[in-house]
Amino acid sequence: MVRLVLVLGDQLSPDLSALAQADKARDVVVMAEVRDEATYVRHHPKKIAFCFAAMRKFAARLRDNGWDVRYSEYDDTHNAGSIVGELLRRADEIGAAEVLATEPGEWRLIEALNAAPVPVTILPDDRFIASHQEFESWAKGRKTLRMEYFYRDMRRKTGLLMDGDKPEGGQWNYDHDNRKPAPDQVDYSGPMQFTPDATVEAALDLVEAEFGDHFGHARPFWFATDQEQARRALTHFIKHALPKFGDYQDAMLDGNRFLYHAVISVYLNAGLLSPLEVCRVAEDAYRAGDAPLNAVEGFIRQIIGWREYVRGIYFLEGPDYPRRNALSHQRPLPALYWGGPTKMRCLSKAVEQTRDEAYAHHIQRLMITGNFGLLAGINPTALHEWYLEVYADAYEWVEAPNTVGMSQFADGGIIASKPYVSSGAYIDRMSDHCRACHYDVKTKTGQGACPFNLMYWAFLDRHRDRFSGNPRMGNMYRTWDRMDAGKRRVILDEAEAFLTALSNGDPV
Ligand code: FAD
Ligand code: DLZ
Ligand code: SF4
C-alpha cells in the first residue's frame, strides 16, 4: 500500500528519517505551504519567504532524485490550509492510508499529527546528536540540569575536540579567553549574501502580497535557500570570521549587525546544514592551524552544547513549558518591541535590525531585548511569541527554552542558575550604544538616568524573596543593602515612574 511521506518546512534534509524509511518506488512525498503554519504566529516576512523558497527548491531536488512529490503552493485553489488537511487531501487523491513523518519541532504539530484521522507513524528526528532517550537518562536523578556537563558528554560522544579521552588543550571550556568588549575595527564584512533567483523572487512576491502587514519586510533578501548555498555561507564564515568568533562573541556595535557571528541558525534549523558537518569543518580549521582553540571550542559548544541541550529541555518539560511564568510577570509587550519610538539606543538598534534582517545575535537577544523584558516584568508568553515571530531561525523547540528559560527565568531556574539581568554598565562595557544614547549610562538617578540602571535595582528588590539566597547574587544584594535608604527610595520611585510611562505608551 502506498504511504505518504510528510516533509515539513524545517525538515529539508536529504537524510531525513521519514525519507530514509520510505520506499522511493512506491511512496509519495507531501510538502505543503499552508495558512496555519504561516500564521499561527505572525512570522517575519523573511522567515516565510525563506521557508517557502527553500521548500520549493528541496521539492525540486527530491524530484530530480526520483521521488514522486506532491507539492502544494500557498495560493493553490485546493490547498486545505493546514498540514493535516493537506495530508488528508493527498491521501484521498492517491489512495494512501498511512503517513510516515519525522517528529516536528513543536508540540502543537506533534499533537495535530497524533490526532489526525489517518494513522501517522512519527519517527525520531535523528538530525540531532542526542536522542530524547539520551537526554532523559542524562537528566534523570540530577538536582540541576546545567548545560556544561551535558556538553562534555556530547564532546565524548562525537569525539569533537578530544585528545583521547581528554578535552583538547586540557580544558573543556575556554570562555575565560572570550567575551571581549566590542572592537574598534571589524575586519569581517559579514555573512555571505545571495542574490535572489527566480524561485526566491516568486516566494518574495507571494509573501509581499499575502503577509505584507507582518512586522518587517521580505525584501531585501539575501539568505541562502538550498544546501549548496548554505555550505558556501558556512565556508565563508569558517575562513573569515571563526578565528575571532570567541573573542567578540558577546560584543555589540551600533554600526555592525553581525560582527563575527556565523548567521547559520536559519540554515541549521531548516535542515540545510547538519550540526555535525558544521562542527567538523570548524574542528578542521583548528587542526589546520587556521583558528584558535578558544574560538573553535566556543563555537562547537554553542552547537553540540546549547543547541542540543535546549532541545532536550523542550521535549523533557512538555507542552506547557512555553507558557510558564515563575516570576508572575504580567506587563503587556510595549510598542517599542514593534519599532515604536524609544530613546534607548541599545533597544532601538536591536529592534531595528530585527525588523530589517529577521536576525539578531545572541547577546542582543539575551542582554538587550531579553534583559529589558525581564527587568520590566513583561509577560514571558508575550515575549515568547515575539521571539517566535520576529527571527528567521525561530521554532519553538529552540526559541522557547531560550526565551522562557534562559532569558526570562520563567521556568523557575531549570536552564539558568540565576536571572540574566544587568544594569547599563554591562551594555556599556560590551557595546558602543551608550555613546549615542539620549540617556547617560553613568547616571544612576535623576535627569537622564539610564533606565536599565533604575530597573535593575528595582527588579532585585521586587524579587528579593526568591533571589537573595542565591549564592551567585549575594554580592548584588549586599551592594543594594549598603546603599543609603533615601537613595534606594529614589531609585525605586524613578523605576516605577519609568515603568508607568512605558505602560502608558509614553515615549521612553
Ligand atoms: P552564532 O553566534 O554564530 O552561533 C553558532 C550557532 O550556535 C548558531 O547558529 C546556533 O545554531 C547555535 N547556538 C548558539 N547559541 C544557541 C542557543 N542559546 N540555543 C541554541 N542554539 C544556539 N536560536 C535559534 O536557533 N532559534 C531561536 O528561535 C532562538 N531564539 C532565542 C531567543 C532568545 C531570547 C535568546 C537569548 C537566544 C535565542 N537563540 C535562538 C539562540 C541564539 O541567539 C541564536 O542561535 C544565534 O543568535 C543564531 O545566530 P548565529 O547563527 O549567528 O549564531
Ligand atoms: C515556519 C513555517 C512556515 C512559515 N510555513 C510552513 C509551511 O507552510 N509548511 C510547512 O510544512 N512548514 C512551514 N513552516 C515550518 C513549520 O512551522 C515547522 O515545521 C513546525 O513549526 C515544526 O517545527
Ligand atoms: Fe541602553 Fe542605557 Fe546605554 Fe542608553 S545608556 S544605550 S538605555 S544601556
PDB file of all heavy atoms in Angstrom, residues 263-297:
ATOM      1  N   VAL A 263      25.688  33.361  11.593  1.00  0.00           N
ATOM      2  CA  VAL A 263      24.394  33.542  10.916  1.00  0.00           C
ATOM      3  C   VAL A 263      24.033  32.273  10.122  1.00  0.00           C
ATOM      4  O   VAL A 263      23.711  32.319   8.939  1.00  0.00           O
ATOM      5  CB  VAL A 263      24.378  34.812  10.022  1.00  0.00           C
ATOM      6  CG1 VAL A 263      22.944  35.203   9.656  1.00  0.00           C
ATOM      7  CG2 VAL A 263      25.037  35.982  10.741  1.00  0.00           C
ATOM      8  N   ILE A 264      24.097  31.150  10.824  1.00  0.00           N
ATOM      9  CA  ILE A 264      23.752  29.871  10.187  1.00  0.00           C
ATOM     10  C   ILE A 264      22.583  29.175  10.878  1.00  0.00           C
ATOM     11  O   ILE A 264      22.164  28.112  10.431  1.00  0.00           O
ATOM     12  CB  ILE A 264      24.949  28.887  10.156  1.00  0.00           C
ATOM     13  CG1 ILE A 264      25.516  28.696  11.564  1.00  0.00           C
ATOM     14  CG2 ILE A 264      26.011  29.348   9.174  1.00  0.00           C
ATOM     15  CD1 ILE A 264      26.410  27.492  11.698  1.00  0.00           C
ATOM     16  N   SER A 265      22.049  29.771  11.948  1.00  0.00           N
ATOM     17  CA  SER A 265      20.974  29.077  12.674  1.00  0.00           C
ATOM     18  C   SER A 265      19.766  28.857  11.769  1.00  0.00           C
ATOM     19  O   SER A 265      19.088  27.829  11.855  1.00  0.00           O
ATOM     20  CB  SER A 265      20.563  29.879  13.911  1.00  0.00           C
ATOM     21  OG  SER A 265      20.370  31.225  13.556  1.00  0.00           O
ATOM     22  N   VAL A 266      19.497  29.815  10.881  1.00  0.00           N
ATOM     23  CA  VAL A 266      18.353  29.669   9.989  1.00  0.00           C
ATOM     24  C   VAL A 266      18.544  28.444   9.085  1.00  0.00           C
ATOM     25  O   VAL A 266      17.599  27.689   8.818  1.00  0.00           O
ATOM     26  CB  VAL A 266      18.075  30.989   9.222  1.00  0.00           C
ATOM     27  CG1 VAL A 266      19.240  31.414   8.399  1.00  0.00           C
ATOM     28  CG2 VAL A 266      16.846  30.899   8.358  1.00  0.00           C
ATOM     29  N   TYR A 267      19.786  28.179   8.676  1.00  0.00           N
ATOM     30  CA  TYR A 267      20.063  27.027   7.807  1.00  0.00           C
ATOM     31  C   TYR A 267      20.083  25.717   8.613  1.00  0.00           C
ATOM     32  O   TYR A 267      19.542  24.704   8.167  1.00  0.00           O
ATOM     33  CB  TYR A 267      21.401  27.206   7.082  1.00  0.00           C
ATOM     34  CG  TYR A 267      21.564  28.575   6.453  1.00  0.00           C
ATOM     35  CD1 TYR A 267      22.779  29.250   6.492  1.00  0.00           C
ATOM     36  CD2 TYR A 267      20.495  29.206   5.820  1.00  0.00           C
ATOM     37  CE1 TYR A 267      22.930  30.511   5.922  1.00  0.00           C
ATOM     38  CE2 TYR A 267      20.631  30.467   5.253  1.00  0.00           C
ATOM     39  CZ  TYR A 267      21.849  31.116   5.317  1.00  0.00           C
ATOM     40  OH  TYR A 267      21.984  32.359   4.763  1.00  0.00           O
ATOM     41  N   LEU A 268      20.712  25.768   9.780  1.00  0.00           N
ATOM     42  CA  LEU A 268      20.757  24.573  10.627  1.00  0.00           C
ATOM     43  C   LEU A 268      19.345  24.118  11.009  1.00  0.00           C
ATOM     44  O   LEU A 268      19.005  22.945  10.910  1.00  0.00           O
ATOM     45  CB  LEU A 268      21.506  24.891  11.922  1.00  0.00           C
ATOM     46  CG  LEU A 268      23.014  24.691  11.950  1.00  0.00           C
ATOM     47  CD1 LEU A 268      23.590  25.346  13.201  1.00  0.00           C
ATOM     48  CD2 LEU A 268      23.360  23.206  11.942  1.00  0.00           C
ATOM     49  N   ASN A 269      18.529  25.076  11.421  1.00  0.00           N
ATOM     50  CA  ASN A 269      17.215  24.709  11.944  1.00  0.00           C
ATOM     51  C   ASN A 269      16.261  24.231  10.854  1.00  0.00           C
ATOM     52  O   ASN A 269      15.302  23.517  11.130  1.00  0.00           O
ATOM     53  CB  ASN A 269      16.585  25.887  12.701  1.00  0.00           C
ATOM     54  CG  ASN A 269      17.413  26.273  13.913  1.00  0.00           C
ATOM     55  OD1 ASN A 269      18.333  25.565  14.278  1.00  0.00           O
ATOM     56  ND2 ASN A 269      17.086  27.400  14.528  1.00  0.00           N
ATOM     57  N   ALA A 270      16.509  24.630   9.599  1.00  0.00           N
ATOM     58  CA  ALA A 270      15.659  24.165   8.496  1.00  0.00           C
ATOM     59  C   ALA A 270      16.188  22.864   7.898  1.00  0.00           C
ATOM     60  O   ALA A 270      15.517  22.239   7.079  1.00  0.00           O
ATOM     61  CB  ALA A 270      15.572  25.233   7.409  1.00  0.00           C
ATOM     62  N   GLY A 271      17.403  22.477   8.279  1.00  0.00           N
ATOM     63  CA  GLY A 271      17.958  21.214   7.783  1.00  0.00           C
ATOM     64  C   GLY A 271      18.890  21.370   6.598  1.00  0.00           C
ATOM     65  O   GLY A 271      19.344  20.380   6.038  1.00  0.00           O
ATOM     66  N   LEU A 272      19.214  22.614   6.212  1.00  0.00           N
ATOM     67  CA  LEU A 272      20.125  22.808   5.071  1.00  0.00           C
ATOM     68  C   LEU A 272      21.574  22.493   5.470  1.00  0.00           C
ATOM     69  O   LEU A 272      22.402  22.180   4.619  1.00  0.00           O
ATOM     70  CB  LEU A 272      20.041  24.239   4.527  1.00  0.00           C
ATOM     71  CG  LEU A 272      18.666  24.716   4.039  1.00  0.00           C
ATOM     72  CD1 LEU A 272      18.773  26.101   3.414  1.00  0.00           C
ATOM     73  CD2 LEU A 272      18.065  23.737   3.035  1.00  0.00           C
ATOM     74  N   LEU A 273      21.864  22.620   6.755  1.00  0.00           N
ATOM     75  CA  LEU A 273      23.173  22.214   7.277  1.00  0.00           C
ATOM     76  C   LEU A 273      22.925  21.247   8.423  1.00  0.00           C
ATOM     77  O   LEU A 273      21.903  21.342   9.105  1.00  0.00           O
ATOM     78  CB  LEU A 273      23.942  23.423   7.833  1.00  0.00           C
ATOM     79  CG  LEU A 273      24.382  24.508   6.844  1.00  0.00           C
ATOM     80  CD1 LEU A 273      25.011  25.683   7.609  1.00  0.00           C
ATOM     81  CD2 LEU A 273      25.359  23.947   5.816  1.00  0.00           C
ATOM     82  N   SER A 274      23.884  20.343   8.655  1.00  0.00           N
ATOM     83  CA  SER A 274      23.719  19.460   9.811  1.00  0.00           C
ATOM     84  C   SER A 274      24.707  19.898  10.898  1.00  0.00           C
ATOM     85  O   SER A 274      25.805  20.376  10.591  1.00  0.00           O
ATOM     86  CB  SER A 274      23.951  18.006   9.408  1.00  0.00           C
ATOM     87  OG  SER A 274      25.309  17.676   9.563  1.00  0.00           O
ATOM     88  N   PRO A 275      24.308  19.739  12.159  1.00  0.00           N
ATOM     89  CA  PRO A 275      25.181  20.213  13.244  1.00  0.00           C
ATOM     90  C   PRO A 275      26.562  19.560  13.211  1.00  0.00           C
ATOM     91  O   PRO A 275      27.564  20.241  13.434  1.00  0.00           O
ATOM     92  CB  PRO A 275      24.421  19.832  14.522  1.00  0.00           C
ATOM     93  CG  PRO A 275      23.276  18.971  14.117  1.00  0.00           C
ATOM     94  CD  PRO A 275      23.035  19.182  12.664  1.00  0.00           C
ATOM     95  N   LEU A 276      26.609  18.281  12.876  1.00  0.00           N
ATOM     96  CA  LEU A 276      27.922  17.621  12.888  1.00  0.00           C
ATOM     97  C   LEU A 276      28.821  18.116  11.762  1.00  0.00           C
ATOM     98  O   LEU A 276      30.004  18.337  11.964  1.00  0.00           O
ATOM     99  CB  LEU A 276      27.752  16.108  12.774  1.00  0.00           C
ATOM    100  CG  LEU A 276      27.761  15.361  14.109  1.00  0.00           C
ATOM    101  CD1 LEU A 276      27.723  13.863  13.869  1.00  0.00           C
ATOM    102  CD2 LEU A 276      28.971  15.729  14.957  1.00  0.00           C
ATOM    103  N   GLU A 277      28.239  18.336  10.567  1.00  0.00           N
ATOM    104  CA  GLU A 277      29.094  18.822   9.476  1.00  0.00           C
ATOM    105  C   GLU A 277      29.655  20.204   9.815  1.00  0.00           C
ATOM    106  O   GLU A 277      30.819  20.499   9.561  1.00  0.00           O
ATOM    107  CB  GLU A 277      28.369  18.828   8.109  1.00  0.00           C
ATOM    108  CG  GLU A 277      27.380  19.959   7.908  1.00  0.00           C
ATOM    109  CD  GLU A 277      26.887  20.125   6.452  1.00  0.00           C
ATOM    110  OE1 GLU A 277      27.738  20.231   5.535  1.00  0.00           O
ATOM    111  OE2 GLU A 277      25.664  20.155   6.261  1.00  0.00           O
ATOM    112  N   VAL A 278      28.832  21.034  10.439  1.00  0.00           N
ATOM    113  CA  VAL A 278      29.285  22.373  10.818  1.00  0.00           C
ATOM    114  C   VAL A 278      30.445  22.274  11.824  1.00  0.00           C
ATOM    115  O   VAL A 278      31.487  22.933  11.683  1.00  0.00           O
ATOM    116  CB  VAL A 278      28.113  23.191  11.414  1.00  0.00           C
ATOM    117  CG1 VAL A 278      28.597  24.481  12.040  1.00  0.00           C
ATOM    118  CG2 VAL A 278      27.059  23.474  10.342  1.00  0.00           C
ATOM    119  N   CYS A 279      30.266  21.416  12.825  1.00  0.00           N
ATOM    120  CA  CYS A 279      31.298  21.298  13.865  1.00  0.00           C
ATOM    121  C   CYS A 279      32.571  20.677  13.302  1.00  0.00           C
ATOM    122  O   CYS A 279      33.678  21.056  13.699  1.00  0.00           O
ATOM    123  CB  CYS A 279      30.769  20.476  15.039  1.00  0.00           C
ATOM    124  SG  CYS A 279      29.465  21.338  15.923  1.00  0.00           S
ATOM    125  N   ARG A 280      32.414  19.740  12.384  1.00  0.00           N
ATOM    126  CA  ARG A 280      33.620  19.092  11.821  1.00  0.00           C
ATOM    127  C   ARG A 280      34.459  20.088  11.013  1.00  0.00           C
ATOM    128  O   ARG A 280      35.683  20.082  11.099  1.00  0.00           O
ATOM    129  CB  ARG A 280      33.238  17.906  10.933  1.00  0.00           C
ATOM    130  CG  ARG A 280      32.526  16.797  11.661  1.00  0.00           C
ATOM    131  CD  ARG A 280      33.331  15.484  11.683  1.00  0.00           C
ATOM    132  NE  ARG A 280      32.510  14.425  12.286  1.00  0.00           N
ATOM    133  CZ  ARG A 280      32.545  14.109  13.577  1.00  0.00           C
ATOM    134  NH1 ARG A 280      33.381  14.718  14.394  1.00  0.00           N
ATOM    135  NH2 ARG A 280      31.754  13.163  14.067  1.00  0.00           N
ATOM    136  N   VAL A 281      33.797  20.956  10.234  1.00  0.00           N
ATOM    137  CA  VAL A 281      34.619  21.911   9.467  1.00  0.00           C
ATOM    138  C   VAL A 281      35.269  22.931  10.413  1.00  0.00           C
ATOM    139  O   VAL A 281      36.389  23.378  10.168  1.00  0.00           O
ATOM    140  CB  VAL A 281      33.861  22.631   8.314  1.00  0.00           C
ATOM    141  CG1 VAL A 281      33.541  21.679   7.186  1.00  0.00           C
ATOM    142  CG2 VAL A 281      32.632  23.345   8.769  1.00  0.00           C
ATOM    143  N   ALA A 282      34.592  23.249  11.505  1.00  0.00           N
ATOM    144  CA  ALA A 282      35.208  24.157  12.485  1.00  0.00           C
ATOM    145  C   ALA A 282      36.417  23.469  13.130  1.00  0.00           C
ATOM    146  O   ALA A 282      37.491  24.074  13.280  1.00  0.00           O
ATOM    147  CB  ALA A 282      34.183  24.556  13.544  1.00  0.00           C
ATOM    148  N   GLU A 283      36.263  22.207  13.479  1.00  0.00           N
ATOM    149  CA  GLU A 283      37.391  21.474  14.081  1.00  0.00           C
ATOM    150  C   GLU A 283      38.551  21.368  13.089  1.00  0.00           C
ATOM    151  O   GLU A 283      39.716  21.548  13.460  1.00  0.00           O
ATOM    152  CB  GLU A 283      36.942  20.082  14.521  1.00  0.00           C
ATOM    153  CG  GLU A 283      38.095  19.312  15.150  1.00  0.00           C
ATOM    154  CD  GLU A 283      37.707  17.934  15.670  1.00  0.00           C
ATOM    155  OE1 GLU A 283      36.789  17.319  15.101  1.00  0.00           O
ATOM    156  OE2 GLU A 283      38.347  17.482  16.643  1.00  0.00           O
ATOM    157  N   ASP A 284      38.223  21.113  11.828  1.00  0.00           N
ATOM    158  CA  ASP A 284      39.287  21.035  10.806  1.00  0.00           C
ATOM    159  C   ASP A 284      40.073  22.343  10.752  1.00  0.00           C
ATOM    160  O   ASP A 284      41.297  22.333  10.592  1.00  0.00           O
ATOM    161  CB  ASP A 284      38.681  20.764   9.412  1.00  0.00           C
ATOM    162  CG  ASP A 284      38.143  19.344   9.289  1.00  0.00           C
ATOM    163  OD1 ASP A 284      38.427  18.516  10.184  1.00  0.00           O
ATOM    164  OD2 ASP A 284      37.415  19.072   8.313  1.00  0.00           O
ATOM    165  N   ALA A 285      39.360  23.466  10.867  1.00  0.00           N
ATOM    166  CA  ALA A 285      40.051  24.762  10.822  1.00  0.00           C
ATOM    167  C   ALA A 285      41.029  24.871  11.995  1.00  0.00           C
ATOM    168  O   ALA A 285      42.148  25.373  11.858  1.00  0.00           O
ATOM    169  CB  ALA A 285      39.030  25.899  10.855  1.00  0.00           C
ATOM    170  N   TYR A 286      40.620  24.380  13.149  1.00  0.00           N
ATOM    171  CA  TYR A 286      41.530  24.396  14.319  1.00  0.00           C
ATOM    172  C   TYR A 286      42.736  23.492  14.069  1.00  0.00           C
ATOM    173  O   TYR A 286      43.884  23.892  14.279  1.00  0.00           O
ATOM    174  CB  TYR A 286      40.770  23.958  15.576  1.00  0.00           C
ATOM    175  CG  TYR A 286      41.700  23.579  16.697  1.00  0.00           C
ATOM    176  CD1 TYR A 286      42.467  24.544  17.345  1.00  0.00           C
ATOM    177  CD2 TYR A 286      41.841  22.233  17.078  1.00  0.00           C
ATOM    178  CE1 TYR A 286      43.358  24.190  18.354  1.00  0.00           C
ATOM    179  CE2 TYR A 286      42.719  21.874  18.084  1.00  0.00           C
ATOM    180  CZ  TYR A 286      43.480  22.856  18.715  1.00  0.00           C
ATOM    181  OH  TYR A 286      44.370  22.498  19.701  1.00  0.00           O
ATOM    182  N   ARG A 287      42.468  22.285  13.612  1.00  0.00           N
ATOM    183  CA  ARG A 287      43.564  21.312  13.440  1.00  0.00           C
ATOM    184  C   ARG A 287      44.546  21.766  12.346  1.00  0.00           C
ATOM    185  O   ARG A 287      45.718  21.449  12.386  1.00  0.00           O
ATOM    186  CB  ARG A 287      43.007  19.926  13.102  1.00  0.00           C
ATOM    187  CG  ARG A 287      42.054  19.394  14.176  1.00  0.00           C
ATOM    188  CD  ARG A 287      42.491  18.072  14.772  1.00  0.00           C
ATOM    189  NE  ARG A 287      41.539  17.639  15.805  1.00  0.00           N
ATOM    190  CZ  ARG A 287      41.808  17.617  17.108  1.00  0.00           C
ATOM    191  NH1 ARG A 287      42.990  17.979  17.547  1.00  0.00           N
ATOM    192  NH2 ARG A 287      40.890  17.224  17.969  1.00  0.00           N
ATOM    193  N   ALA A 288      44.027  22.548  11.382  1.00  0.00           N
ATOM    194  CA  ALA A 288      44.904  23.057  10.324  1.00  0.00           C
ATOM    195  C   ALA A 288      45.635  24.333  10.770  1.00  0.00           C
ATOM    196  O   ALA A 288      46.390  24.919  10.004  1.00  0.00           O
ATOM    197  CB  ALA A 288      44.074  23.342   9.073  1.00  0.00           C
ATOM    198  N   GLY A 289      45.380  24.770  11.986  1.00  0.00           N
ATOM    199  CA  GLY A 289      46.039  25.979  12.495  1.00  0.00           C
ATOM    200  C   GLY A 289      45.409  27.267  11.989  1.00  0.00           C
ATOM    201  O   GLY A 289      45.984  28.345  12.099  1.00  0.00           O
ATOM    202  N   ASP A 290      44.188  27.180  11.462  1.00  0.00           N
ATOM    203  CA  ASP A 290      43.561  28.379  10.890  1.00  0.00           C
ATOM    204  C   ASP A 290      42.664  29.116  11.883  1.00  0.00           C
ATOM    205  O   ASP A 290      42.190  30.221  11.590  1.00  0.00           O
ATOM    206  CB  ASP A 290      42.706  27.995   9.667  1.00  0.00           C
ATOM    207  CG  ASP A 290      43.578  27.485   8.532  1.00  0.00           C
ATOM    208  OD1 ASP A 290      44.766  27.851   8.507  1.00  0.00           O
ATOM    209  OD2 ASP A 290      43.079  26.715   7.691  1.00  0.00           O
ATOM    210  N   ALA A 291      42.346  28.506  13.006  1.00  0.00           N
ATOM    211  CA  ALA A 291      41.502  29.179  14.008  1.00  0.00           C
ATOM    212  C   ALA A 291      41.926  28.701  15.391  1.00  0.00           C
ATOM    213  O   ALA A 291      42.255  27.527  15.573  1.00  0.00           O
ATOM    214  CB  ALA A 291      40.026  28.852  13.762  1.00  0.00           C
ATOM    215  N   PRO A 292      41.943  29.614  16.376  1.00  0.00           N
ATOM    216  CA  PRO A 292      42.419  29.228  17.714  1.00  0.00           C
ATOM    217  C   PRO A 292      41.395  28.377  18.482  1.00  0.00           C
ATOM    218  O   PRO A 292      40.202  28.401  18.184  1.00  0.00           O
ATOM    219  CB  PRO A 292      42.627  30.582  18.402  1.00  0.00           C
ATOM    220  CG  PRO A 292      41.710  31.515  17.711  1.00  0.00           C
ATOM    221  CD  PRO A 292      41.560  31.029  16.305  1.00  0.00           C
ATOM    222  N   LEU A 293      41.904  27.689  19.483  1.00  0.00           N
ATOM    223  CA  LEU A 293      41.058  26.760  20.242  1.00  0.00           C
ATOM    224  C   LEU A 293      39.914  27.478  20.954  1.00  0.00           C
ATOM    225  O   LEU A 293      38.794  26.970  20.996  1.00  0.00           O
ATOM    226  CB  LEU A 293      41.940  26.001  21.257  1.00  0.00           C
ATOM    227  CG  LEU A 293      41.271  24.879  22.036  1.00  0.00           C
ATOM    228  CD1 LEU A 293      40.583  23.870  21.116  1.00  0.00           C
ATOM    229  CD2 LEU A 293      42.296  24.164  22.925  1.00  0.00           C
ATOM    230  N   ASN A 294      40.169  28.666  21.519  1.00  0.00           N
ATOM    231  CA  ASN A 294      39.077  29.339  22.253  1.00  0.00           C
ATOM    232  C   ASN A 294      37.902  29.643  21.327  1.00  0.00           C
ATOM    233  O   ASN A 294      36.737  29.513  21.717  1.00  0.00           O
ATOM    234  CB  ASN A 294      39.575  30.619  22.942  1.00  0.00           C
ATOM    235  CG  ASN A 294      39.957  31.720  21.960  1.00  0.00           C
ATOM    236  OD1 ASN A 294      40.760  31.513  21.061  1.00  0.00           O
ATOM    237  ND2 ASN A 294      39.365  32.891  22.121  1.00  0.00           N
ATOM    238  N   ALA A 295      38.190  30.000  20.067  1.00  0.00           N
ATOM    239  CA  ALA A 295      37.109  30.303  19.118  1.00  0.00           C
ATOM    240  C   ALA A 295      36.373  29.027  18.719  1.00  0.00           C
ATOM    241  O   ALA A 295      35.139  28.971  18.744  1.00  0.00           O
ATOM    242  CB  ALA A 295      37.682  30.972  17.870  1.00  0.00           C
ATOM    243  N   VAL A 296      37.131  28.005  18.393  1.00  0.00           N
ATOM    244  CA  VAL A 296      36.512  26.774  17.868  1.00  0.00           C
ATOM    245  C   VAL A 296      35.749  26.047  18.973  1.00  0.00           C
ATOM    246  O   VAL A 296      34.625  25.583  18.766  1.00  0.00           O
ATOM    247  CB  VAL A 296      37.588  25.877  17.212  1.00  0.00           C
ATOM    248  CG1 VAL A 296      36.983  24.574  16.741  1.00  0.00           C
ATOM    249  CG2 VAL A 296      38.226  26.624  16.033  1.00  0.00           C
ATOM    250  N   GLU A 297      36.347  25.987  20.152  1.00  0.00           N
ATOM    251  CA  GLU A 297      35.641  25.331  21.263  1.00  0.00           C
ATOM    252  C   GLU A 297      34.353  26.093  21.586  1.00  0.00           C
ATOM    253  O   GLU A 297      33.286  25.503  21.758  1.00  0.00           O
ATOM    254  CB  GLU A 297      36.568  25.250  22.492  1.00  0.00           C
ATOM    255  CG  GLU A 297      36.012  24.457  23.668  1.00  0.00           C
ATOM    256  CD  GLU A 297      34.983  25.212  24.499  1.00  0.00           C
ATOM    257  OE1 GLU A 297      35.207  26.402  24.823  1.00  0.00           O
ATOM    258  OE2 GLU A 297      33.935  24.629  24.804  1.00  0.00           O
TER     259      GLU A 297
END
